[in-house]
């Protein structure tokens, strides 16, 4: 059994077996002024990341027995080295992580002490920067996570049932608002306006030229 639910700072998931070779951003300043880095998972991170996964799920999902997550702990930990995972690291260590499977968010996890400081959003922005669209599943009872994703532009597509824990969930979808050419809708509108103004200029120019003949 592989738990697959996802969270803003407290939902659940097991990342898929996929490793990234993409170069990630260097150190930068976090929202609290600390030095942070979002980077790919390394072998030395596995114990810390697995503990965040287990602790977060047990505390965030009072509606699911803790034994469900504990039964899956070993298999999730075993999958992590082959997964596409990004960690959020400060000088205090790893504070959270994100698991991806293509355009599917397997999960966003933030340690309890670091929650409500924008780390989940930073990890989600990392995924948005790399994907034109994102999907995820979230338990219907996790109202906090649902509201987070809705604020971030996700929309509920359908309701389903996660059979393993027997809990209803929502499938949610986010798409980047860009035209195929790479322009945003605002940029495309500006370009169209410029073209129309130029066309009007040409029309007026030729009308004036004929008027002098």
């Amino acid at each position: 059994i592989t738990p697959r639910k996802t969270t803003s700072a407290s939902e659940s998931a097991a990342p898929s077996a996929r490793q990234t070779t993409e170069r990630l951003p260097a150190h930068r300043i976090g929202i609290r002024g600390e030095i942070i880095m979002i980077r790919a998972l390394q072998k030395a991170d596995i114990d810390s990341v697995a503990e965040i996964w287990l602790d977060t799920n047990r505390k965030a999902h009072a509606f699911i027995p803790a034994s469900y997550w504990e039964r899956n702990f070993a298999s999730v930990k075993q999958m992590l080295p082959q997964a596409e995972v990004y960690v959020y690291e400060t000088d205090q260590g790893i504070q959270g992580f994100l698991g991806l499977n293509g355009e599917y968010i397997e999960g966003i996890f933030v340690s309890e002490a670091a929650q409500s400081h924008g780390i989940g959003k930073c990890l989600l922005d990392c995924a948005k920067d790399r994907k034109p669209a994102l999907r995820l599943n979230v338990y219907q009872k996790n109202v906090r996570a649902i509201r987070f994703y809705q604020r971030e532009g996700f929309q509920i597509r359908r309701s389903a049932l996660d059979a393993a824990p027997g809990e209803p969930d929502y499938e949610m979808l986010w798409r980047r608002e860009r035209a195929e050419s790479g322009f945003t809708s605002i940029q495309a509108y500006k370009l169209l306006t410029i073209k129309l103004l130029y066309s009007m200029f040409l029309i007026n120019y030729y009308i004036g030229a004929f008027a002098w003949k």
Side-chain angles (χ1 to χ4, degrees):
I1 301 172
T2 302
R4 61 181 179 83
K5 297 296 145 186
T6 184
T7 174
S8 60
S10 56
E11 261 277 48
S12 63
S16 65
R18 224 184 116 160
Q19 184 65 40
T20 179
T21 58
E22 183 178 359
R23 185 177 179 82
L24 295 173
H27 291 80
R28 54 186 178 179
I29 304 298
I31 62 173
R32 291 181 290 175
E34 75 277 26
I35 302 298
I36 69 167
M37 181 170 65
I38 296 178
R39 59 171 176 79
L41 177 78
Q42 299 174 1
K43 186 175 181 180
D45 305 326
I46 292 175
D47 287 344
S48 296
V49 166
E51 287 298 330
I52 291 174
W53 179 89
L54 180 60
D55 185 63
T56 299
N57 279 313
R58 284 191 299 201
K59 293 178 178 177
H61 302 113
F63 48 89
I64 295 176
S67 59
Y68 173 72
W69 310 109
E70 293 162 0
R71 287 198 307 271
N72 287 280
F73 178 72
S75 61
V76 168
K77 189 173 181 179
Q78 186 176 13
M79 290 172 61
L80 285 171
Q82 292 79 42
E84 182 181 359
V85 177
Y86 303 102
V87 301
Y88 182 104
E89 184 179 38
T90 71
D91 55 1
Q92 301 298 314
I94 294 174
Q95 305 299 314
F97 72 97
L98 161 78
L100 284 173
N101 179 7
E103 294 182 349
Y104 186 81
I105 297 178
E106 295 281 5
I108 300 177
F109 308 82
V110 178
S111 63
E112 185 180 28
Q115 291 180 15
S116 300
H117 293 295
I119 295 176
K121 176 174 172 54
C122 285
L123 288 165
L124 183 57
D125 287 343
C126 172
K128 286 180 175 180
D129 288 343
R130 288 159 176 77
K131 309 293 181 179
L134 292 167
R135 296 181 300 109
L136 58 88
N137 287 79
V138 58
Y139 290 120
Q140 293 182 17
K141 291 179 182 177
N142 195 334
V143 178
R144 180 184 178 188
I146 294 169
R147 288 175 178 171
F148 168 79
Y149 285 117
Q150 287 177 328
R151 288 197 305 269
E152 292 300 315
F154 283 78
Q155 297 182 344
I156 295 174
R157 293 187 64 189
R158 61 176 64 93
S159 177
L161 179 70
D162 188 4
E167 285 292 331
D169 65 10
Y170 289 125
E171 180 181 344
M172 302 185 74
L173 173 69
W174 168 86
R175 290 188 184 278
R176 183 180 296 126
E177 294 184 358
R178 290 180 179 271
E180 291 184 1
S181 61
F183 290 105
T184 64
S185 57
I186 294 176
Q187 289 172 326
Y189 175 78
K190 289 180 178 179
L191 180 61
L192 178 61
T193 301
I194 292 171
K195 287 182 177 180
L196 289 172
L197 290 173
Y198 182 68
S199 298
M200 291 175 65
F201 167 78
L202 290 178
I203 292 171
N204 289 331
Y205 174 81
Y206 285 114
I207 291 176
F210 281 116
W212 282 98
K213 290 184 178 180

